[in-house]
Amino acid sequence: MDPEVLFRFVDVAGVIAYGVIGASLARTLEYDIIGYLTLGILTALGGGMIRDSLLGIDFPVALTDPWYLAGAIGASAFAYLVPLDGPWARRGLTLADVLALGCWSATGAAKGITAGLAPIPSIFLGVITATAGGVMRDALVRQTPAIFGSNPLYATISIAAAGIMVVFQQHNMYQLGMGLAILLCLVFGLAARRFRWILPVRQMNLLADSRRILKREHKTNLRRRSRRKDAKRKDKRKGGK
């Protein structure tokens, strides 16, 4: 398959999936149809529009390709018309979420490499594409963005998927890289939610930690000096005898 066709197909599939996920939040918050459209479109297109703006593209693809905006509007309307509250619906949304995460992590990173960026900035673009829409959606409804901690791994998996895409694209294996990136997000995204894999949230204090280390070393040095003095005293006593 032509990489351009594959890119477009995967990207639009991600738009539709994220549109449904974003608009579903509007039902929980009891919004009207405008609320559904706003959350759905923002979630579906926000990350890609930021990506294209960072790349200096004159008009983001979401404004020039009719499939993107139509996909986001259609997904939002679907979420408005069809309740997605049952267990199977929630599982379907979870599956769509991790698949879309892989899609956009890969396509965002691929765009960076195609534009001539280095691997790290390209990975950054992949993560921005996959997560920025959700962050803006959460901020808009006054919720802490889910990627900020105490939730199953999400942005971390996106980083790994974008990294895989960068490595394989640099070796001219575009399709394989995209497939592996999506598969990685599918497997590890579902596992992270099933087993509650989260990053540690321990508060770091480098200054306090360094003071603790210095105090520990100081006490250790004092003990060593005391032992040496005791050993010298014993030697003197033995010599006097």
Side-chain angles (χ1 to χ4, degrees):
M1 182 183 289
D2 181 17
E4 287 297 325
V5 176
L6 178 63
F7 179 97
R8 189 165 181 267
F9 175 80
V10 171
D11 217 26
V12 172
V15 166
I16 294 171
Y18 268 22
V20 173
I21 293 165
S24 296
L25 180 60
R27 184 177 295 275
T28 304
L29 299 173
E30 298 182 347
Y31 286 178
D32 60 16
I33 183 62
I34 300 301
Y36 278 80
L37 290 171
T38 300
L39 294 185
I41 293 171
L42 185 64
T43 307
L45 303 178
M49 293 181 74
I50 292 176
R51 173 200 63 203
D52 292 346
S53 298
L54 290 173
L55 287 173
I57 296 174
D58 290 338
F59 294 104
V61 67
L63 301 179
T64 58
D65 189 326
W67 280 98
Y68 285 77
L69 193 54
I73 293 173
S76 302
F78 176 81
Y80 178 74
L81 296 170
V82 180
L84 300 171
D85 302 327
W88 285 105
R90 287 195 294 270
R91 289 170 189 164
L93 287 177
T94 298
L95 181 62
D97 192 11
V98 294
L99 287 173
L101 180 69
C103 291
W104 280 1
S105 298
T107 56
K111 264 203 169 184
I113 291 295
T114 302
L117 294 179
I120 298 300
S122 297
I123 292 172
F124 173 73
L125 276 183
V127 177
I128 286 291
T129 307
T131 64
V135 170
M136 290 191 292
R137 173 204 63 207
D138 293 343
L140 187 64
V141 299
R142 299 180 182 179
Q143 292 183 0
T144 301
I147 68 169
F148 284 176
S150 301
N151 291 297
L153 297 180
Y154 198 79
T156 307
I157 298 173
S158 175
I159 293 170
I164 287 175
M165 186 66 206
V166 165
V167 170
F168 278 84
Q169 187 173 356
Q170 286 183 320
H171 290 82
N172 298 318
M173 291 185 283
Y174 186 95
Q175 291 92 335
L176 181 59
M178 185 165 290
L180 288 176
I182 294 172
L183 180 62
L184 179 141
C185 285
L186 174 63
V187 173
F188 285 94
L190 293 178
R193 298 186 183 208
R194 173 67 176 83
F195 300 108
R196 292 292 301 174
W197 292 345
I198 63 174
L199 292 176
V201 292
R202 175 178 173 266
Q203 300 296 319
M204 301 297 293
N205 188 331
L206 184 59
L207 185 59
D209 290 343
S210 62
R211 284 175 179 170
R212 269 190 230 105
I213 292 170
L214 289 173
K215 285 181 180 178
R216 195 181 308 129
E217 290 182 352
H218 180 63
K219 289 179 181 178
T220 302
N221 289 333
L222 288 177
R223 289 194 200 101
R224 287 174 182 168
R225 289 174 189 170
S226 178
R227 286 173 192 154
R228 286 179 195 146
K229 288 179 181 178
D230 291 342
K232 286 179 181 178
R233 287 172 188 163
K234 289 179 182 179
D235 291 339
K236 286 180 181 179
R237 288 174 187 169
K238 287 179 182 178
K241 291 180 180 179

